[in-house]
Amino acid sequence: MRLSRPVTKQPPETIVALIDVVFFLLVFFMLIGRMDATAPFDVSPPTATTGADMPSGGITVSVSDKGDLAVDGVVVDDTALDATLSARITDAPDTLVRINAHRATELRHVLPLVGRIESLGAREVVLVVTPETAPPVR
């Protein structure tokens, strides 16, 4: 009686080596590639001054989280803001103007305000910030 050996199947080709190569290529290109857009010229971002006292005097414009405005603690509407600030800045053009915005205020309320205040003749506009000591509460 003749016994035959069972036919052995070829093991399937493994792709583990190929996965390793792809992974190493991915890491390589992530390390050498630039992920950010570069400016065509040198850009040095501004430095925040923390721990220093704000100069006294000047005008404080407050912005609520909903975009409501107040000048030195007196609530004003959008149209009265220009008249109020224009009169005070014309009297003293070197007056410091602080913008004190609530932390939840959207940027669309603050940035146009800076431009408006500068167009009225203010020479120095300062954004009031609080240094982060703990993670923000959401």
Side-chain angles (χ1 to χ4, degrees):
M1 169 161 159
R2 271 184 125 179
L3 293 176
S4 63
R5 291 188 174 180
V7 178
T8 59
K9 294 181 182 176
Q10 290 283 353
E13 292 190 27
T14 178
I15 61 169
V16 173
L18 183 61
I19 292 172
D20 288 344
V21 169
V22 170
F23 176 72
F24 285 124
L25 286 173
L26 176 67
V27 170
F28 173 75
F29 285 115
M30 286 177 62
L31 291 175
I32 66 163
R34 291 192 62 109
M35 297 292 181
D36 61 343
T38 57
F41 42 83
D42 185 32
V43 176
S44 298
T47 305
T49 304
T50 57
D53 292 335
M54 290 285 291
S56 60
I59 305 168
T60 301
V61 177
S62 302
V63 184
S64 74
D65 57 345
K66 293 179 179 57
D68 299 326
L69 301 169
V71 176
D72 289 335
V74 178
V75 177
V76 294
D77 62 353
D78 199 43
T79 55
L81 177 71
D82 287 346
T84 304
L85 291 178
S86 179
R88 297 210 28 208
I89 291 172
T90 304
D91 293 341
D94 290 333
T95 301
L96 170 74
V97 180
R98 288 180 213 75
I99 298 177
N100 187 12
H102 188 275
R103 79 170 91 195
T105 304
E106 294 179 9
L107 202 54
R108 66 185 173 98
H109 296 299
V110 178
L111 287 183
L113 186 61
V114 174
R116 284 173 58 188
I117 293 170
E118 286 179 338
S119 70
L120 293 173
R123 294 194 181 138
E124 190 171 2
V125 179
V126 177
L127 297 176
V128 178
V129 296
T130 303
E132 187 173 344
T133 56
V137 178
R138 295 193 182 239

